[in-house]
Amino acid sequence: MALVACGRSERPAAQQQIAKPSARETAQCHADLRAQSVAFRPLPDRQAGPGCGLFGAVQLLEIGVPVTNLTGIRCGQARAFSAWVRSGVGPAAFQILGSELARVETFGSFACRNVAGRGDRRSGHAIANAIDVGGFVLKDGRRVTVLRDWKSPDPAVREFLQTVRRSACKRFGTVLSPDYNAAHADHLHLEADRAGLCR
């Protein structure tokens, strides 16, 4: 599926300066991931264009369940995402849908691009600080997608998706869903910032 640009930033793309995490912040984040028993590989810092780059990023290798399409992610985003999958999505799948989580499907993380509908502003994806989650596969074989199931006739499926969104809002500064706009009809945009936006 094509990745839809989403996320927010405050300055025109050509003028944006990337806020880079300090070495101390990155080291603490690595320690936090290890404490969560998350397997990861640190990635070298690199600029990828005006307002785009990977700084303090990691590649997640093992968080307990497979995750599709992830590339580099800022460490803080990786920490929040891993915790959300383990403590939010997994328990919700079992408690609400009666099956363990088998896989999380994403549309990706890092992409040097602008916000949808805002051609002058970079997305959180441009600095690897956002992940777009499109669906979940359960061990009983069911696949729940945001596009097809956000308004599912099955109340348990709707409850599951609403629950994982609420759980995400406790861990990410920006969570955008189909309730936000049409650009998010097929995914949950999860971004580790301080915006306090949960829609």
Side-chain angles (χ1 to χ4, degrees):
M1 287 188 197
L3 198 56
V4 177
C6 52
R8 302 169 307 117
S9 64
E10 300 300 321
R11 302 165 81 184
Q15 300 175 11
Q16 286 175 19
Q17 300 295 316
I18 298 175
K20 302 172 185 176
S22 69
R24 182 177 179 178
E25 289 171 322
T26 300
Q28 180 60 57
C29 186
H30 289 176
D32 293 344
L33 288 175
R34 284 190 289 271
Q36 292 179 18
S37 300
V38 170
F40 66 95
R41 178 171 59 91
L43 298 176
D45 289 350
R46 71 178 176 92
Q47 188 80 30
C52 293
L54 288 162
F55 298 94
V58 299
Q59 175 75 54
L60 289 176
L61 303 175
E62 175 58 56
I63 67 168
V65 296
V67 179
T68 64
N69 300 318
L70 284 187
T71 54
I73 313 166
R74 276 212 176 186
C75 188
Q77 174 77 6
R79 177 176 54 202
F81 181 76
S82 299
W84 175 68
V85 171
R86 288 180 168 194
S87 301
V89 180
F94 187 74
Q95 292 166 11
I96 299 169
L97 299 177
S99 180
E100 293 181 4
L101 181 66
R103 183 172 72 243
V104 178
E105 299 179 334
T106 84
F107 296 159
S109 48
F110 176 68
C112 185
R113 66 171 191 260
N114 291 348
V115 176
R118 294 297 307 266
D120 61 340
R121 299 171 90 173
R122 288 296 192 207
S123 166
H125 293 283
I127 58 169
N129 200 42
I131 298 172
D132 290 342
V133 175
F136 309 91
V137 177
L138 307 180
K139 286 192 176 178
D140 65 9
R142 281 179 290 171
R143 183 170 177 255
V144 177
T145 70
V146 174
L147 179 63
R148 185 188 63 224
D149 297 311
W150 192 254
K151 294 183 179 179
S152 171
D154 184 335
V157 171
R158 289 197 313 272
E159 181 186 353
F160 167 72
L161 288 174
Q162 293 294 326
T163 298
V164 298
R165 179 180 63 177
R166 285 193 300 272
S167 176
C169 290
K170 296 175 183 176
R171 293 174 171 84
F172 301 92
T174 297
V175 177
L176 305 177
S177 74
D179 291 344
Y180 181 61
N181 63 16
H184 297 84
D186 61 354
H187 67 278
L188 300 176
H189 172 88
L190 312 177
E191 186 169 349
D193 60 14
R194 295 190 176 108
L197 180 59
C198 175
R199 295 282 299 277

